Amino acid sequence: MTGSLTSLTLAETRDSLARKAFSARELTESYIAAVEATRPLNAFITETPERALAMAEASDQRLARGEARPLDGIPIAVKDLYCTKGVLTTAASHILDGFRPPYESTVTEKLWQAGAVMLGKANLDEFAMGSSSTTSYYGPVENPWRRPGDNCPLVPGGSSGGSAVAVAARAALAATGTDTGGSIRQPASFCGIVGLKPTYGRCSRWGVVAYASSLDQPGPMTRTVRDAAIMLRGMAGHDPKDSTSAPVPVPDYEEALTGDIRGLRIGIPLEYRAHGMNMEIENLWYRAAGWLAEAGAEIIYDISLPHTKYALPTYYIIAPAEASSNLARYDGVRFGLRVEGSTLDEMYELTRAAGFGAEVRRRVLIGTYVLSAGYYDAYYLKAQRVRALIALDFNQAFEQVDCILAPTAPSAAFAIGEKSDDPVEMYLNDVFTVPANLAGLPAISVPAGLSADGLPLGLQIIGRAFDEEGVLRVAEALEHAAQFRHLPGFIAGGR
Amino acid sequence: MALDKAAVAHIAFLARIRLSETELEPLADELSQILTWVEQLNEVDTTEVAPMASVAASSLPTREDRVTDGDCREAILGDAPRTVPSGTDRGFFTVPKVVE
């Protein structure tokens, strides 16, 4: 029974709960068992089975009264970057040791109000800084996929790697992620699931541990595009507590999934080919353009986003700069780790040296440098000017097209430890995802095929600001055409 | 831009991260490599371009200035690091002595 319950999609599960085919409690018990079975992959930092059962029972009562809410009884994983009241919140960092927030993030509060059930807090790269989920203080996350005939453990991508693994291994129906430079979309691609980064301002950042505030955006990770539409509706909406949250209405995203993309203009950006692209990814990309054309879309080849090659270096100035400022609050005074020192400065220095891992330190140091007197104009202001050009590239492209089709990542999942020696090589993973963050645009990764060595490859749809409906509609058409039915070798809940 | 050990030590002090002598050299190499890589931005002519701080609306929303939260001292102090002597039971965060 376990296998059949956890193999349903979120939409199917919701409909089955409404028909009383099984109870929320039965469902949650299956998922709790699946979470336990997933422990070898290290996808969760904290499991919350008791809370999950209590939430499921509350859902069952509402379902019995005919007062079901949109996500009643749906078991989800929460990236451990979202503050959850009274539940350990670590950001995968030693420096947040023992931190139990006295408040709940806006997005998770909305999800609980909608009836969702919390299975636990998902592992990630420390402070969401990484593309491999190997920098966690709680140890690396492992991808449920392996190359057939090869036992080498692979990374799930990052930073929302634990969230992606929980969904891919069927240990959660959906998960929250956050995407600053690709942290939802790249792990979704590596794990064969759907990951949606909404428009900047669509979901509140309040209560989400900040990495780079002008880029961070919460979003859903799911097994299907429809599930992403359902989750996004539960997460989105204006929040007065986040001054960058957009005061715009939240549509019913599921209604946008009409299956009709006739006449939509879809652009293929010329410059995305210029990065020494892997042939099988390029082939998949062009095959997908053909699928969308068959579905009635108009494919516009060789649209230009001329500043694409500068997006990554721009990101690696702006994000560390904002991070160095945001992470200044971790000082050992009010919460988390403290290493005692004889002076206040010594306490700060020893606490931060012990509390931050190598990649976080590197980014805080880079950020401190590019914001320091004498270098601010040359690095930080320069990057902000190039960022304006990158955003302008997209504005101009969207005069010609309705959305853009591109690869999500330059490769399939790589081995744990493979790119850890060279920071810049690791940064190159984000080459196709970072531009949407700099421009604040919605973008979704959809599993579209397998690599020659049997690993999932995602493709990305990038849309106009606040046009998640258009992005989801095209993504569903892509999903329908790709017919991606492959499953990872490791399925916690059974097949 | 190539950073030397002294520069890294200075940046680390600004960031309040204590580094050991043996960490300085490899970090100087890594940070220099990253800075050299980002300097390709100098190829882009930005003389007429205003810096972009955020994609969100440039004017911040305002609200009436009134108290909307509070009376939660115990909840906040509940996360304070345990220290000896402890000030948290008297309503304080404790830090090393900062005034002579």
Side-chain angles (χ1 to χ4, degrees):
Chain A
M1 192 60 194
T2 297
S4 62
L5 287 195
T6 56
S7 63
L8 300 174
T9 67
L10 193 160
E12 289 163 353
T13 304
R14 173 194 61 187
D15 298 344
S16 302
L17 283 166
R19 293 200 301 277
K20 305 200 168 51
F22 44 81
S23 69
R25 189 186 166 96
E26 286 172 285
L27 176 74
T28 294
E29 283 170 348
S30 296
Y31 272 101
I32 289 170
V35 169
E36 287 173 7
T38 308
R39 283 178 191 158
L41 303 183
N42 203 24
F44 287 84
I45 292 173
T46 303
E47 298 171 12
T48 56
E50 286 165 18
R51 179 171 295 224
L53 288 172
M55 291 170 116
E57 276 166 16
S59 286
D60 275 333
Q61 285 168 16
R62 286 191 293 268
L63 285 156
R65 289 197 301 266
E67 293 167 7
R69 298 175 183 175
L71 293 169
D72 245 326
I74 301 298
I76 64 168
V78 174
K79 186 179 187 180
D80 202 14
L81 203 63
Y82 290 72
C83 288
T84 42
K85 190 173 181 176
V87 176
L88 183 68
T89 298
T90 69
S93 182
H94 188 26
I95 209 157
L96 274 167
D97 270 10
F99 177 55
R100 290 172 195 276
Y103 50 83
E104 186 77 28
S105 85
T106 297
V107 164
T108 48
E109 181 61 33
K110 287 172 95 78
L111 288 168
W112 313 144
Q113 286 302 320
V117 167
M118 177 162 79
L119 291 166
K121 305 293 293 287
N123 204 349
L124 65 151
D125 279 301
E126 185 181 3
F127 282 107
M129 297 180 192
S131 309
S132 61
S133 298
T134 57
T135 69
S136 168
Y137 178 69
Y138 298 89
V141 185
E142 197 183 304
N143 198 319
W145 291 80
R146 287 190 180 176
R147 299 181 188 112
D150 180 354
N151 265 334
C152 176
L154 304 175
V155 302
S159 68
S160 310
S163 297
V165 169
V167 173
R170 293 182 170 169
L173 259 175
T176 67
T178 63
D179 193 315
T180 305
S183 281
I184 286 175
R185 291 162 285 157
Q186 184 254 19
S189 178
F190 279 18
C191 293
I193 64 164
V194 173
L196 170 60
K197 181 201 96 71
T199 311
Y200 183 81
R202 180 58 94 179
C203 296
S204 171
R205 293 180 295 108
W206 194 82
V208 180
V209 174
Y211 159 24
S213 302
S214 80
L215 303 164
D216 295 342
Q217 180 58 210
M221 304 175 78
T222 55
R223 296 183 209 153
T224 69
V225 173
R226 179 169 298 272
D227 291 358
I230 297 167
M231 274 290 283
L232 179 61
R233 195 179 186 201
M235 297 170 70
H238 178 239
D239 177 13
K241 288 193 250 182
D242 171 3
S243 65
T244 62
S245 152
V248 294
V250 178
D252 183 341
Y253 296 108
E254 228 183 329
E255 278 180 8
L257 304 177
T258 58
D260 184 4
I261 61 163
R262 283 173 300 174
L264 278 179
R265 298 163 304 167
I266 297 171
I268 307 289
L270 179 68
E271 291 80 4
Y272 280 52
R273 283 208 323 250
H275 291 272
M277 179 174 281
N278 174 324
M279 274 308 291
E280 62 183 355
I281 292 178
E282 182 164 345
N283 290 341
L284 180 67
W285 181 20
Y286 279 82
R287 208 178 318 143
W291 296 334
L292 296 175
E294 276 172 38
E298 183 188 349
I299 308 300
I300 315 241
Y301 287 94
D302 294 345
I303 62 162
S304 183
L305 299 166
H307 297 89
T308 296
K309 71 174 278 208
Y310 300 109
L312 263 187
T314 299
Y315 175 85
Y316 277 99
I317 292 173
I318 289 174
E322 294 184 12
S324 72
S325 171
N326 275 326
L327 272 59
R329 75 191 68 178
Y330 304 104
D331 56 8
V333 174
R334 292 149 301 153
F335 51 83
L337 180 73
R338 172 185 293 197
V339 178
E340 299 292 348
S342 55
T343 65
L344 192 60
D345 267 337
E346 190 178 70
M347 187 188 87
Y348 292 154
E349 289 181 285
L350 295 176
T351 298
R352 290 163 64 81
F356 291 148
E359 183 59 27
V360 173
R361 275 197 232 182
R362 207 179 276 137
R363 294 198 197 186
V364 169
L365 293 173
I366 286 282
T368 303
Y369 181 72
V370 300
L371 291 177
S372 64
Y375 300 100
Y376 182 90
D377 288 11
Y379 289 99
Y380 186 62
L381 270 187
K382 180 76 187 182
Q384 287 194 317
R385 290 181 208 277
V386 179
R387 181 179 183 182
L389 292 173
I390 290 164
L392 185 65
D393 283 355
F394 280 104
N395 285 343
Q396 289 172 342
F398 285 127
E399 287 172 10
Q400 231 189 315
V401 298
D402 298 302
C403 60
I404 292 167
L405 174 69
T408 304
S411 73
F414 47 88
I416 291 179
E418 195 175 314
K419 297 180 196 237
S420 53
D421 300 340
D422 180 348
V424 172
E425 200 195 335
M426 186 67 94
Y427 297 171
L428 294 177
N429 260 290
D430 301 333
V431 62
F432 301 129
T433 45
V434 150
N437 297 85
L438 292 169
L441 302 171
I444 191 168
S445 179
V446 177
L450 288 183
S451 67
D453 51 7
L455 297 176
L457 296 170
L459 292 173
Q460 186 181 200
I461 309 288
I462 306 169
R464 294 190 180 95
F466 298 103
D467 186 23
E468 282 84 0
E469 291 167 283
V471 167
L472 285 161
R473 187 178 304 131
V474 176
E476 197 201 30
L478 174 60
E479 179 184 54
H480 181 73
Q483 291 290 318
F484 186 91
R485 294 279 181 272
H486 310 281
L487 290 173
F490 187 107
I491 291 283
R495 280 162 200 273
Chain B
M1 186 72 170
L3 297 176
D4 58 18
K5 280 165 60 174
V8 173
H10 177 63
I11 299 163
F13 174 71
L14 291 176
R16 298 297 188 274
I17 298 175
R18 179 71 59 90
L19 295 177
S20 68
E21 180 61 28
T22 56
E23 289 172 301
L24 292 175
E25 186 90 50
L27 260 172
D29 290 346
E30 283 171 10
L31 300 186
S32 299
Q33 189 199 348
I34 295 167
L35 288 171
T36 305
W37 174 68
V38 299
E39 279 162 14
Q40 58 179 296
L41 296 189
N42 294 330
E43 297 164 14
V44 186
D45 180 2
T46 54
T47 41
E48 301 290 317
V49 185
M52 178 184 194
S54 171
V55 295
S58 54
S59 63
L60 285 172
T62 57
R63 62 167 172 82
E64 193 189 333
D65 184 16
R66 60 187 171 85
V67 176
T68 57
D69 203 353
D71 289 331
C72 51
R73 188 173 76 179
E74 279 180 23
I76 290 167
L77 286 170
D79 274 319
R82 302 289 115 193
T83 56
V84 180
S86 170
T88 53
D89 47 7
R90 286 178 286 156
F92 299 110
F93 293 110
T94 54
V95 292
K97 194 171 173 185
V98 286
V99 284
E100 291 306 320

